[in-house]
Amino acid sequence: MLDPVSRVRRFNRAVTSAVGALDTSFLGRGRPLGAARVLNAIGHSRADVGEIRDYLGLDSGLMSRLLRSLEDEGLIETTAHADDARRRIANLTPAGKREFNAYEAISNRQAKDFLSHHTQREALLAAMDLIASALGRDGTALTEMDPRSDEARYCLGEYYAELARRFKQGFDVKLSRDPDAKDMVRPRGSFIVAMSDGLPIGCVGLKGSSSEFAEIKRLWVAPAARGLGLGRRLMDAAENAACELGIAVLRLDTNSALAEAGQLYRRTGWSEIPRFNDDPYPDLFFEKHL
Amino acid sequence: MLDPVSRVRRFNRAVTSAVGALDTSFLGRGRPLGAARVLNAIGHSRADVGEIRDYLGLDSGLMSRLLRSLEDEGLIETTAHADDARRRIANLTPAGKREFNAYEAISNRQAKDFLSHHTQREALLAAMDLIASALGRDGTALTEMDPRSDEARYCLGEYYAELARRFKQGFDVKLSRDPDAKDMVRPRGSFIVAMSDGLPIGCVGLKGSSSEFAEIKRLWVAPAARGLGLGRRLMDAAENAACELGIAVLRLDTNSALAEAGQLYRRTGWSEIPRFNDDPYPDLFFEKHL
DNA sequence: GACGATATCTGACTAAAGTCAGACATATGC
DNA sequence: GCATATGTCTGACTTTAGTCAGATATCGTC
């Protein structure tokens, strides 16, 4: 009666009808769902027509017609791509922006309604995060970013906050050898953020130095995305970046309080080495030859 | 960037695309989605044509045509309702049952696949339960059942297991004044189970007695469904049943370890009274005049 | 500058979903 | 028994979604 499969299926049924309700609420603006979806994709700053087509899984003929109908309504304008005149770029007109905002308002109000009807807000949100990460796993993109970008700084903030929670003595960034952002930018190093559907859910830094090794720093995965192999993917990406930069030896330090991290390193070919710095927080040190 | 509304919306997006994938996988059997949905509804023992129409939100003309096409395929048979010949009852033929099982197999395999791809199985399942309960809240039906039914016994089993976990001294049903099932069946009393999409997720018993009061017993809500007001709905239903049975005074006993329950009683018009039995487990006693 | 590849568009379809008015049989209340 | 309500069915639609073959323009490359 309560086997895992029927629990998953109960969830599927609940969610199917919820999605149906969400879809029909979009019909209120007098536009078929297909056109509304395209308008929303453009509003969410997807401009390239081909990209939208892929994202929504549409046939090119259908896509073209939907674009035309939005254009006829005066909601979008299309122009040729600057570098490649075959490709088309779609943008919202002021009227289109108003219409897009109306759809946004519907979505936001529904989300707010849903939350306001339940007392277990935080638990619900955490559950939703977890499931969204699990479902969107293949949609999680690892992208190299500047460590001073908003997304990167959000990740780092969460990372520091988590260290502060998990270390008995707390954590103060200033006491740690905070890597200079420039050391985590090409050509010296790299900083990789995992983005899931617009939200940053993980990061890792590759800190180049003038010594004979580079360091892996700031590996973090959002609690909602743990257990899905994202840490490993981030580490792989960082090691790849290191290869590209011609780095032969990687080191990292960590703390035994972060048990998952230690496990990950051991399982992916890192070997423990003696302390190689005097940072007060780490008590475990690893090295890997690429 | 991480406000609650955008977290809900991220979840919605993830789930929308997952549902789309699920839907298209049903197309493989050479039948349009509408017909497949009707077949599945019938297979899940929804026989009444009107009920199916409501459940799937279909127009009566469309519904009729879908039924006809399934009938032409030899998958279902329709007969008139025994009590009301205007209504029609649909049932699967042997061929229909085979076809239905094929759809079930698709759904089951997908659910199994999903689970097998993730390491955090239990956390995922718990999150899914919570969300399914939250979404399906309006779909939760409270139905009076025999306390010896499978559903009721499942609830009671979970209830006892939870007491055993939460009481320091453990819990042994035999030491408690276990109400005779007959006391929780009309006309003496009642037993109400909350069913969400086929799964029992809560219960409450109304135990009639020969004394001047009846008792509320066995109030339980599945962990995945807590915080959604189900406890209150169950209590309301039990009090309604008591009214119908002409009961004027209700009592109940509980334990201060079950803090949520105590809060609920206080907030819904119950007043604390002195101990009225010698059961070893409860230490809090309430009464309410209807 | 010719050639194949690529991106989009157009026209001519089909299939599926949904709508609406009215027909028909059956139930219910007076 | 009659009027009215209810549940289903039928026919005649419309709209939406999706498919496919080719037209057109542009790009990159030799």
Side-chain angles (χ1 to χ4, degrees):
Chain A
M1 196 176 259
L2 269 192
D3 68 300
V5 167
S6 62
R7 286 165 77 185
V8 173
R9 292 194 53 193
R10 170 171 174 247
F11 171 81
N12 285 345
R13 276 192 296 272
V15 137
T16 300
S17 69
V19 164
L22 209 141
D23 272 358
T24 52
S25 76
F26 269 30
L27 257 37
R29 308 233 93 227
R31 204 168 285 106
L33 222 54
R37 267 200 266 267
V38 172
L39 184 67
N40 277 302
I42 297 171
H44 284 291
S45 62
R46 276 176 214 272
D48 199 295
V49 168
E51 192 197 335
I52 300 173
R53 219 177 38 215
D54 280 358
Y55 176 68
L56 298 176
L58 298 175
D59 173 83
S60 78
L62 183 50
M63 177 72 194
S64 180
R65 256 176 280 274
L66 291 173
L67 280 178
R68 222 49 58 225
S69 82
L70 289 172
E71 221 166 18
D72 291 348
E73 277 194 90
L75 302 179
I76 64 166
E77 283 170 341
T78 60
T79 53
H81 190 284
D83 298 339
D84 182 346
R86 290 170 304 181
R87 288 156 67 189
R88 307 234 88 201
I89 301 298
N91 278 300
L92 297 184
T93 62
K97 202 152 273 175
R98 278 196 300 278
E99 198 57 25
F100 168 69
N101 286 336
Y103 281 110
E104 285 292 283
I106 292 174
S107 300
N108 286 334
R109 226 219 38 233
Q110 281 189 327
K112 214 172 278 175
D113 268 17
F114 174 75
L115 284 172
S116 71
H117 281 56
H118 301 295
T119 49
Q120 282 185 309
R121 267 175 72 115
E122 257 319 309
L124 264 181
L125 285 169
M128 290 178 136
D129 283 347
L130 178 61
I131 289 170
S133 297
L135 288 175
R137 194 169 60 131
D138 303 325
T140 301
L142 307 192
T143 36
E144 208 166 308
M145 288 192 182
D146 193 291
R148 288 152 300 195
S149 65
D150 283 353
E151 290 85 356
R153 275 163 49 199
Y154 166 78
C155 290
L156 292 173
E158 292 292 305
Y159 172 73
Y160 298 142
E162 175 152 4
L163 292 188
R165 273 196 306 278
R166 293 179 66 160
F167 289 172
K168 282 185 221 77
Q169 74 275 34
F171 178 78
D172 180 358
V173 197
K174 283 174 227 95
L175 292 182
S176 184
R177 296 173 315 125
D178 194 32
D180 188 10
K182 269 172 285 178
D183 291 336
M184 301 200 291
V185 174
R186 305 239 175 186
R188 289 177 68 78
S190 173
F191 194 83
I192 297 164
V193 176
M195 300 289 292
S196 165
D197 206 11
L199 294 179
I201 58 168
C203 69
V204 67
L206 173 68
K207 176 199 168 199
S209 76
S210 31
S211 57
E212 72 279 14
F213 61 87
E215 280 181 74
I216 297 287
K217 309 284 295 181
R218 314 296 185 233
L219 176 66
W220 173 76
V221 172
R226 287 178 195 168
L228 305 170
L230 184 56
R232 195 181 194 130
R233 280 181 66 194
L234 281 166
M235 286 297 288
D236 284 351
E239 293 179 19
N240 277 341
C243 284
E244 284 172 32
L245 295 172
I247 294 166
V249 181
L250 285 175
R251 287 189 180 173
L252 62 82
D253 59 36
T254 184
N255 186 291
S256 43
L258 308 172
E260 321 87 291
Q263 273 188 357
L264 171 64
Y265 302 139
R266 269 181 259 270
R267 266 190 296 211
T268 51
W270 291 76
S271 30
E272 210 174 322
I273 55 168
R275 172 180 281 274
F276 65 87
N277 65 34
D278 53 2
D279 197 303
Y281 295 108
D283 61 359
L284 262 176
F285 301 82
F286 288 91
E287 185 175 81
K288 183 172 185 175
H289 292 257
L290 297 176
Chain B
M1 196 175 257
L2 268 194
D3 68 301
V5 168
S6 62
R7 286 165 78 186
V8 172
R9 292 193 53 190
R10 171 173 174 246
F11 171 81
N12 285 345
R13 276 193 296 274
V15 137
T16 301
S17 69
V19 164
L22 210 141
D23 272 359
T24 51
S25 76
F26 269 31
L27 256 38
R29 309 232 95 226
R31 203 168 286 107
L33 222 54
R37 267 200 268 266
V38 172
L39 184 68
N40 277 302
I42 298 172
H44 284 291
S45 62
R46 277 176 214 272
D48 200 293
V49 167
E51 191 198 335
I52 299 173
R53 221 178 37 215
D54 281 358
Y55 175 68
L56 298 176
L58 298 174
D59 172 84
S60 77
L62 183 50
M63 178 71 196
S64 180
R65 255 176 280 274
L66 291 173
L67 280 178
R68 220 52 55 227
S69 83
L70 290 172
E71 223 168 16
D72 291 349
E73 278 194 89
L75 302 179
I76 63 166
E77 283 170 341
T78 60
T79 52
H81 190 285
D83 298 338
D84 181 346
R86 289 171 307 182
R87 289 157 66 191
R88 308 235 85 202
I89 301 298
N91 278 299
L92 297 183
T93 62
K97 201 151 275 177
R98 278 197 299 279
E99 199 56 26
F100 169 70
N101 286 336
Y103 281 110
E104 285 292 283
I106 292 174
S107 300
N108 286 334
R109 224 219 40 229
Q110 280 187 328
K112 213 172 279 174
D113 268 17
F114 174 76
L115 283 173
S116 71
H117 280 56
H118 300 294
T119 49
Q120 283 183 306
R121 268 175 71 116
E122 256 321 309
L124 264 181
L125 284 169
M128 289 178 136
D129 283 347
L130 178 61
I131 290 171
S133 298
L135 287 175
R137 195 170 60 130
D138 303 317
T140 301
L142 307 193
T143 37
E144 208 166 309
M145 289 193 182
D146 193 292
R148 288 153 298 195
S149 66
D150 282 352
E151 291 84 356
R153 276 163 48 198
Y154 167 77
C155 290
L156 291 173
E158 292 293 304
Y159 173 74
Y160 298 142
E162 176 152 3
L163 292 188
R165 273 195 307 276
R166 292 180 68 162
F167 290 172
K168 281 183 221 80
Q169 73 274 35
F171 177 80
D172 180 357
V173 197
K174 284 174 227 95
L175 292 182
S176 184
R177 296 172 315 125
D178 193 31
D180 187 11
K182 269 172 284 175
D183 290 337
M184 300 201 292
V185 174
R186 303 239 176 188
R188 287 177 68 80
S190 173
F191 194 84
I192 296 164
V193 176
M195 299 288 293
S196 165
D197 205 12
L199 294 179
I201 59 167
C203 69
V204 67
L206 172 68
K207 177 201 168 197
S209 75
S210 31
S211 58
E212 72 279 15
F213 61 87
E215 282 182 74
I216 298 286
K217 309 284 294 180
R218 316 294 184 235
L219 175 67
W220 173 76
V221 173
R226 286 178 195 167
L228 306 170
L230 184 56
R232 196 182 193 128
R233 280 180 68 194
L234 281 166
M235 286 298 288
D236 286 350
E239 292 179 21
N240 277 341
C243 284
E244 284 173 31
L245 295 173
I247 293 166
V249 181
L250 284 175
R251 288 189 179 172
L252 62 83
D253 57 36
T254 184
N255 187 290
S256 43
L258 309 172
E260 320 88 291
Q263 273 189 357
L264 171 63
Y265 302 140
R266 269 181 257 271
R267 266 191 295 212
T268 51
W270 290 74
S271 30
E272 211 175 322
I273 55 169
R275 172 181 281 275
F276 65 87
N277 64 34
D278 53 0
D279 197 304
Y281 294 108
D283 61 0
L284 263 175
F285 300 82
F286 288 91
E287 186 175 80
K288 184 173 186 176
H289 292 256
L290 298 177

